Every structure is written in structure tokens, then in C-alpha cells.
Amino acid sequence: MNREKGYTGIEYFRIIASLLVIAIHTSPLASFSDVGDFILTRVTARIAVPFFFTASGYFLISCYSQSAGKLILFVKHTALIYGVSILLYLPVNLYNGYFKMENPAPHIVRDIIFDGTLYHLWYLPASIMGAAAAWYLIRKTDYKNAFITALILYLVGLFGDSYYGIAEKIPGMSGIYQFMFQLFDHTRNGIFFAPIFFLLGGYMADRYRHRRINKMGYTHLENSIWGFAVSFSLMLGEAMLLWFFDVQRHDSMYLFLLPCMYFLFRFILFFRGKRPPYLKEVSLLIYIIHPMIIVLLRLAARLLHLQSVLVDNSMVHYLVVCVLSVGISVVAVIFWERHRPQGNRVPDGRDRSYIEVSLENLEHNARVLQKAMPSGCRLMAVVKAEAYGHGAFEIATHLDKIGVRAFAVATIEEGIHLRKYGIRGEILILGYTDVHRVRELKKYDLIQSLIDFDYAAALNQEGIAVKAHIKIDTGMHRLGISAGEWEKAEKIFAMKNIDVCGIFTHLCCADHLAPDDVAFTKGQIDSFYDLLADLQADGFRIPKIHIQNSYGLLNYPDLKCDYVRAGIALYGVLSSPEDDTVLKLDLRPVLSLRSKVVLIRSVGKGEPVGYGRAFTAQRHSRIAIVPVGYADGYPRSLSCGHSSVLIRGSRVPIIGRICMDQMAVDVTDLEEAAVGDIVTLVGVDGGNELEAPVVAYGSGSISNELLSRMGRRG
Ligand SMILES: *Cc1c(COP(=O)(O)O)cnc(C)c1O
């Protein structure tokens, strides 16, 4: 599955944001300047919590995800943290006289749901509500409508927050807000404030998650900085005006906070690389414990008569709270990581080499392809050859789950497997099946391609009614009856035991855009439609029709058909890096091939490595041994420096001959390489990517072959 690693910018900004939150609660500039304090704590630091919401949304919300799994996990996790935090602060509540008020029960319920039982804890229930609201909105509509709804909520919240002075003056409105304030103290909560930022995070993820940094480019960075500078200035102006005219009831929500967050987050996304560990946990802990630190620090200062040193100067006070909060959080997280229950370490099949499949990308590709088709045309997912090496079970069951109802396979065995996996919907066998297996065709409700007239006649002879699609040969000269032989097609229609529910052809050079290839393809398409017209003229009802494979759709997107048989594009890659296509779709690779370093050894200058002594060290070298080889689908022809792999985001060359199950790579120049490091042979690591078409091309082949040979051993 997709590992969301490498968002260095997001991880580091979490710490900055948590220090800004401490600023809100300690006002470091209060001893020096009212205006300065306002700008820092009531404007600048107000970026922090929306940032946390956006970051959570980034990893949680996606218009491509249908399942609630991640959300449920997030809610459980946040609720647990909230529960623990409530208990942690009970002594403070007691000390503050929280339970002394009259009739505390409704107040407590209200605080638990909306406002938090201490001033900063509202963030946790707001996260739960905001996440759930964003998830629901994007599931029910699209980004546009979801944003409109969330924006309306935000505006309602705005007029109960920093614009309240205006709402208050409008007769009907002030009544409504008075009523709302019976339910919660602040409108900056999970209903009005949080959802739009969670959506924003999801939107950014769907837009940028899969773009590599170099593709995002420096204009992206520049635009983000400018956008942030402008919107931050506007927010500052907005806040100052509201403050000056005494409009604010509270000061968390501003209009220009929205563009501010958009540009800031875009900027932060630019920074990717190795993921710094535990910053998320540390920042959350800082957020949760710093009010406790403030209380304890004041207490200690009073007991030790150090108020003048530790508390009176607001800046010193702030810095001391920061140092203590960060220090205690770091120590606590390290302690927890060392001592948490590890469970029994069961090998997860990833102890050697493995393929990683991103179902999220698969789902994305399926939707992108479906969108590119003319209306009425549906995706027939080609899952032959173990779904091009990705694993037919995982791929087909996921596609079934997201509503794909037509599949194509190469053999009857593959079709039977799909049924056993619980695949509903149509399954078309594209290749030859021995006619004696007609009972199995029937039993598993599989559709057989009729590869020529004699085959159809033989199948009919078996005496058992089966579903079939007629294959028409329009120039590839592989399978099918010739497009000119319409009378043969008509005879098949008349066969008693053949239920013709489809008719199709296959394009043989739709991947090339040279003029003669285009002319040939158009000829194929025309002769197919001509045949259909002949059949229709003779009174036959035309069954479901299909022509295009992946490149057929990408280069001839407008054909009138019932299905597109998409294989390679569904897996998110083109066949070759040299290919150009008419439609340029945002397809995302589904498969990564990974292994890990199991041994690092030194080899002296002049010493050989591997079979045939094909490599000789030209210098004193460090060699890493990686347990993946041609039996795992990695082509042997990429031996001897013809290819490289990624370790810690850097390219290192393969040296010597690739063996059946192992290979050697030269890590002399990558000093930090260590045993246990993940090795990426196809896929993304850090800011680098090895694309399947490029790897395949280097081995003299196409992605289709490279991928379909993988995943058999594991
Ligand atoms: C394999 C196959 C496809 C899928 O081709 P892609 O180029 O991978 O999309 C479609 N139609 C037929 C007949 C096939 O054999």
C-alpha cells in the first residue's frame, strides 16, 4: 500500500505550529507591545490549528476513497487521546473550581462535545467532527459542492467569531447566535471551523500527492510564497480593522485565513524527502501538555519565589514553557517508542522482496479512465496474467468493490479464479478455451470469445448454451473472423447454443501516432463499424460492442462503444517512455517492486563481483547485496550497470550480473546505506522515481511484459 512517507515540510511545520499554539496561551510579546501581541497571537498563530486540520485532511480525505476504514481509525485514535487528555486535566479542572458551578452536567456535556473541558482541548472533538463532515461531504458530492457547503458553514462561524460585532447588530441574526451560544461557547468548532480545512487537505492530496517535486517546479514554490505573502497581509489588515472597530467576539476565524492556509500548505508540500520520525507525536504531545506545563511552572515559580524570573517577563515565560513542553514531549515519545508492546514479530512476507500495490492509485486510475470515456461506455478491467503481475485477487476484488462490473481475462482458469474470489459481473475470456470445458464456462458464467467460425461451430456442437462475444479480425490477423465475412457472423448469431452478447475487435497499432499507423487504425475501426452496419441492415440486433484497449482509448477516445478493455493504463503506466498519446490522463502507477539490503561488504580494488566476474571493482568499494533477481521479475538484461535502484531516495547502480534471486549494488558513494534499508527497483522513494516504462525500456521491452512477470514468486 501507499506509504505516505517523505512529507518533510508537513512534519517540521507541525512543531512550528505547536510552538505557535503555546504562544497563543502565553502571549510572549505582552510585556512589550499590545499590537505586537495581537499580531503574533491573535493573527499569526491562528494559522496553527487550521494547519493541523489541513494536515490531517491531507492524509485522510480523498475523493477517490470509498471506504470509511481510515476515518474510523482516525476517529477512534482521536477519541482515545481526547479521553486520556480529559482525565489528565481533571486535577486542573478541580483546582479551577470547574465542578463547583450550579447544575454542571449540561455544561460538562457541552464542553465534551464542543468546547473541550480545558481551553485547548476543543481541538480534539473538532478534529473528529471536521474529519467526519469532510469525509461525508466528499463522498456525497464533489469538491466544488463540498467546498461550497463547508464555506457556508465557515461563514456562519465567522459571524459568531471575529465578525460577531456585525451579526450582533442585525436583529434576527443576534437572536440566532445567542441561541447557538447556548449550545457552544465558540463557533470555531467541529461544525463551522474544521470541515473546510479537512477538505482543503484532501483536495491538496488528490492534486499533489503523486506529483514529483521536480514536476511541481519552482514556479509552484514562487507562486505559493507570493500567494501566502499577499493573503497573510490581507488577513492582517482584516484582523486589525476588526480589532480597531471592536467587532471581534473571538479571534480565530478570518476570511483571509482560507487563502492563507491554501498557499501556506502548498508551500509546505514542496519540501519532501526523508520523513523525520515522531514529529507528529511530539507536536501532538506539546499541544496537549503545554497548559499543564504553564500551570506547574507558575506553581513552581510561586513556591520558589522565582516569579520575577520565570513568569513576569512574558518572553522568558514563553521560552521556558516551550523548552519544557518540547523536552518533556520528546522524552515521553522516545520512552514510549522504546517500551511499547512490540507483539510477536510475524514475518509479513516483506523480509525479502515484494511488490507493493496502491489500491488508492488503482481506484484513481479506474475513475480517470471511466471519466475519459464517452457516456454510456464502461470500463472492462483487463486482469489477465495475475492482473499484469499485480495480483488478480487484490486488484479484482477492489475493482469489484468500487463498482467495476466487467472484467477480461486470458484463460478459463483465470476466469474461474475470479468467480472464486467472489467477483460478480461479466467475465470475458479473451483467448482460446478447449470446447470440452463448456460445462465450466456455463457453471462459472463465463463469456467465451469466439476466435473463428469453426471454433464457434465446435462450441455450438457441445450442446450446452454458453455466452459468447464474436471476435472480429480487422487487420491484426491474430484471432477472429475477418471483418469481410459478415455471413459467417450471421451464421454464428443463428447458432442455437451460442448466446452472442457481444462483438469486438482489437487494434494492433493504436499506440503509434505516425500517419500510416493512424490510417491503418482508422481502417480497422471503419471495417468493424461497416460489418456492424451490414449486420444491422440484415435485421440483426447488435450486441455490446468494444474496440479499444488502453491506447485505443488514449488515442481514439471518441469511438462509440459499450466497453473499453483497459489493461496497462489501469495499472497507471504507459507501455514505453517514448509513447505520446492524444489524451493525457493523470494516471498513477499502482505497482512498486521493493526489496531490502541484507548484507553490505567491502570489496578491494581489482576484485570481482558475481557470476562470470562481470564486474571488477575500480576502487575500494562497498557492495550491498539485495535479495531480488530475475525469478522475481526483474530482467537479467539490466545487469552490469544498465540500471539502478533507489536506496534512501538515491540512485545506486546495479553491478555484475543479476542472479535468479539476488543482485549486488554499489553503495560506495552512499555512505549512509545500511543493512535493512528498503531498496526500490520500481516505484517512488523520496524525491526519486524508477518508472516501469523506463525500466522496461532499458531491458528492451515494454511495461506490460515487465509487470506481468512480477509477483509470481511472492
Ligand atoms: C490484453 C488485452 C487488452 C488490454 O490491453 P492494454 O493495452 O493492456 O490495455 C485488451 N484487449 C485484448 C484483446 C487483449 O488481449
Side-chain angles (χ1 to χ4, degrees):
M1 298 294 293
N2 229 348
R3 305 254 179 90
E4 323 279 24
K5 64 179 155 187
Y7 292 102
T8 327
I10 297 182
E11 299 304 323
Y12 281 111
F13 201 83
R14 289 181 197 279
I15 300 295
I16 297 176
S18 60
L19 299 183
L20 286 174
V21 173
I22 299 182
I24 296 177
H25 299 142
T26 53
S27 289
L29 299 179
S31 304
F32 312 100
S33 150
D34 277 354
V35 178
D37 180 49
F38 181 80
I39 292 175
L40 175 62
T41 64
R42 311 293 116 184
V43 190
T44 313
R46 290 309 188 193
I47 287 170
V49 168
F51 164 79
F52 286 129
F53 290 147
T54 311
S56 300
Y58 189 84
F59 296 107
L60 197 63
I61 305 296
S62 168
C63 66
Y64 304 114
S65 162
Q66 294 292 305
S67 91
K70 265 190 186 177
L71 176 77
I72 292 169
L73 216 64
F74 176 83
V75 169
K76 275 191 188 162
H77 188 73
T78 311
L80 179 70
I81 293 169
Y82 189 34
V84 172
S85 306
I86 290 175
L87 294 180
L88 180 72
Y89 280 100
L90 270 183
V92 179
N93 292 141
L94 278 172
Y95 178 77
N96 285 348
Y98 183 73
F99 298 102
K100 290 219 185 89
M101 61 189 148
E102 279 178 42
N103 192 15
H107 201 85
I108 292 174
V109 170
R110 181 181 113 148
D111 280 352
I112 288 180
I113 298 176
F114 291 110
D115 297 319
T117 54
L118 203 78
Y119 55 83
H120 67 312
L121 292 181
W122 66 274
Y123 164 70
L124 295 165
S127 287
I128 293 176
M129 274 185 245
W135 183 86
Y136 179 81
L137 284 174
I138 199 61
R139 220 177 116 97
K140 290 289 161 191
T141 64
D142 50 13
Y143 273 117
K144 188 167 153 233
N145 289 313
F147 269 121
I148 291 174
T149 313
L151 184 65
I152 293 171
L153 290 172
Y154 189 85
L155 292 177
V156 172
L158 193 71
F159 280 95
D161 194 88
S162 55
Y163 282 69
Y164 181 65
I166 297 172
E168 197 182 31
K169 298 221 165 54
I170 302 170
M173 257 172 106
S174 81
I176 294 172
Y177 280 99
Q178 284 314 319
F179 172 73
M180 287 206 286
F181 291 136
Q182 314 247 307
L183 299 177
F184 32 75
D185 265 344
H186 294 293
T187 50
R188 59 101 177 89
N189 58 26
I191 300 175
F192 302 110
F193 187 46
I196 197 159
F197 296 109
F198 273 90
L199 273 177
L200 178 65
Y203 172 76
M204 302 290 258
D206 286 337
R207 244 187 105 167
Y208 294 119
R209 184 175 293 167
H210 300 276
R211 294 208 199 161
R212 275 166 302 137
I213 303 168
N214 53 2
K215 283 202 179 151
M216 276 161 66
Y218 282 90
T219 34
H220 168 98
L221 189 66
E222 225 168 76
N223 291 344
S224 308
I225 293 173
W226 275 111
F228 177 71
V230 170
S231 36
F232 182 78
S233 313
L234 288 169
M235 178 166 87
L236 191 59
E238 180 189 11
M240 298 299 276
L241 276 178
L242 293 169
W243 189 42
F244 185 76
F245 289 108
D246 201 15
V247 180
Q248 295 178 303
R249 174 177 184 271
H250 187 65
D251 43 42
S252 275
M253 300 176 72
Y254 299 106
L255 264 184
F256 287 104
L257 179 57
L258 298 176
C260 223
M261 188 48 55
Y262 170 75
F263 288 112
L264 177 68
F265 206 81
R266 252 182 108 207
F267 171 73
I268 291 170
L269 277 183
F270 191 82
F271 300 93
R272 301 198 195 175
K274 197 159 170 280
R275 182 182 167 180
Y278 308 134
L279 291 188
K280 184 178 172 191
E281 290 78 4
V282 169
S283 67
L284 180 65
L285 210 53
I286 294 174
Y287 187 97
I288 289 171
I289 66 166
H290 75 272
M292 184 68 87
I293 304 286
I294 296 174
V295 171
L296 294 177
L297 182 67
R298 284 175 181 263
L299 198 67
R302 188 148 28 122
L303 292 177
L304 302 171
H305 302 290
L306 288 174
Q307 275 131 313
S308 58
V309 186
L310 292 177
V311 179
D312 291 350
N313 182 313
S314 63
M315 189 46 115
V316 175
H317 178 58
Y318 169 68
L319 292 176
V320 174
V321 173
C322 282
V323 168
L324 288 176
S325 302
V326 173
I328 292 173
S329 300
V330 168
V331 171
V333 167
I334 291 175
F335 184 82
W336 165 252
E337 280 305 318
R338 290 239 175 103
H339 295 271
R340 73 176 171 162
Q342 294 281 327
N344 284 336
R345 286 231 176 175
V346 183
D348 56 0
R350 299 191 157 197
D351 43 347
R352 196 182 151 270
S353 76
Y354 53 94
I355 58 172
E356 213 173 65
V357 166
S358 165
L359 294 177
E360 200 181 327
N361 287 4
L362 176 74
E363 195 168 327
H364 168 85
N365 296 337
R367 287 183 205 290
V368 165
L369 289 172
Q370 184 67 68
K371 235 186 217 165
M373 296 174 201
S375 66
C377 182
R378 290 192 298 146
L379 173 68
M380 180 185 282
V382 181
V383 294
K384 61 192 182 191
E386 281 296 319
Y388 290 45
H390 293 63
F393 173 74
E394 202 176 1
I395 298 292
T397 48
H398 193 72
L399 290 172
D400 179 71
K401 205 164 87 188
I402 63 169
V404 173
R405 288 290 170 268
F407 293 86
V409 292
T411 71
I412 185 171
E413 243 67 55
E414 292 175 343
I416 293 170
H417 278 135
L418 290 193
R419 287 290 182 234
K420 289 188 173 165
Y421 300 152
I423 300 301
R424 299 157 281 173
E426 300 169 30
I427 300 176
L428 173 65
I429 301 169
L430 296 168
Y432 165 83
T433 303
D434 190 320
V435 293
H436 297 114
R437 302 188 72 175
V438 62
R439 271 178 198 81
E440 289 168 277
L441 290 176
K442 176 101 187 155
K443 177 175 169 194
Y444 292 104
D445 190 20
L446 304 173
I447 305 171
Q448 178 57 45
S449 294
L450 303 175
I451 60 171
D452 77 346
F453 179 77
D454 293 342
Y455 179 83
L459 191 61
N460 186 44
Q461 280 289 315
E462 289 294 311
I464 290 175
V466 286
K467 292 183 187 165
H469 284 196
I470 302 177
K471 176 84 184 266
I472 304 296
D473 173 25
T474 51
M476 182 168 185
H477 298 137
R478 189 172 65 178
L479 300 179
I481 59 175
S482 290
E485 300 178 315
W486 50 269
E487 46 321 68
K488 284 192 177 168
E490 292 184 355
K491 277 192 197 147
I492 294 176
F493 273 96
M495 288 177 182
K496 188 163 141 265
N497 296 318
I498 305 283
D499 171 11
V500 178
C501 45
I503 185 164
F504 71 107
T505 190
H506 192 43
L507 304 175
C508 58
C509 53
D511 51 343
H512 288 128
L513 292 173
D516 60 329
D517 287 322
V518 172
F520 188 87
T521 304
K522 288 196 167 147
Q524 281 196 282
I525 294 166
D526 288 345
S527 65
F528 181 67
Y529 281 121
D530 285 349
L531 172 84
L532 296 182
D534 287 346
L535 293 177
Q536 203 158 23
D538 287 350
F540 289 94
R541 199 180 50 80
I542 302 298
K544 296 271 196 299
I545 60 176
H546 43 112
I547 301 175
Q548 301 129 296
N549 60 353
S550 298
Y551 278 94
L553 176 70
L554 294 174
N555 288 331
Y556 304 88
D558 301 323
L559 304 185
K560 199 191 142 354
C561 285
D562 295 293
Y563 295 113
V564 166
R565 304 182 305 273
I568 197 71
L570 188 58
Y571 305 106
V573 291
L574 293 181
S575 295
S576 161
E578 294 190 313
D579 289 340
D580 193 17
T581 55
V582 172
L583 279 190
K584 294 182 187 0
L585 301 180
D586 169 29
L587 299 171
R588 300 168 181 178
V590 175
L591 178 141
S592 307
L593 175 65
R594 302 198 202 271
S595 183
K596 63 188 196 184
V597 175
V598 290
L599 184 67
I600 291 190
R601 67 186 322 135
S602 292
V603 177
K605 186 175 173 195
E607 289 189 306
V609 175
Y611 284 124
R613 296 187 293 152
F615 172 85
T616 306
Q618 300 299 310
R619 56 178 173 169
H620 187 82
S621 306
R622 280 175 86 225
I623 307 299
I625 305 300
V626 185
V628 60
Y630 56 80
D632 301 290
Y634 196 80
R636 184 172 178 274
S637 53
L638 293 172
S639 294
C640 301
H642 282 104
S643 192
S644 44
V645 302
L646 300 176
I647 297 179
R648 298 184 177 227
S650 298
R651 277 171 194 266
V652 295
I654 296 173
I655 55 170
R657 291 201 190 132
I658 294 169
C659 312
M660 190 181 284
D661 334 285
Q662 323 190 47
M663 63 173 70
V665 299
D666 185 347
V667 292
T668 315
D669 295 327
L670 188 69
E671 272 169 28
E672 63 269 37
V675 168
D677 280 357
I678 302 281
V679 178
T680 301
L681 297 104
V682 174
V684 180
D685 183 17
N688 250 320
E689 180 171 10
L690 296 172
E691 291 165 286
V694 177
V695 174
Y697 188 77
S699 73
S701 184
I702 55 174
S703 332
N704 312 45
E705 183 188 358
L706 178 75
L707 296 176
S708 68
R709 286 170 178 274
M710 283 179 187
R712 302 221 185 257
R713 182 180 242 168

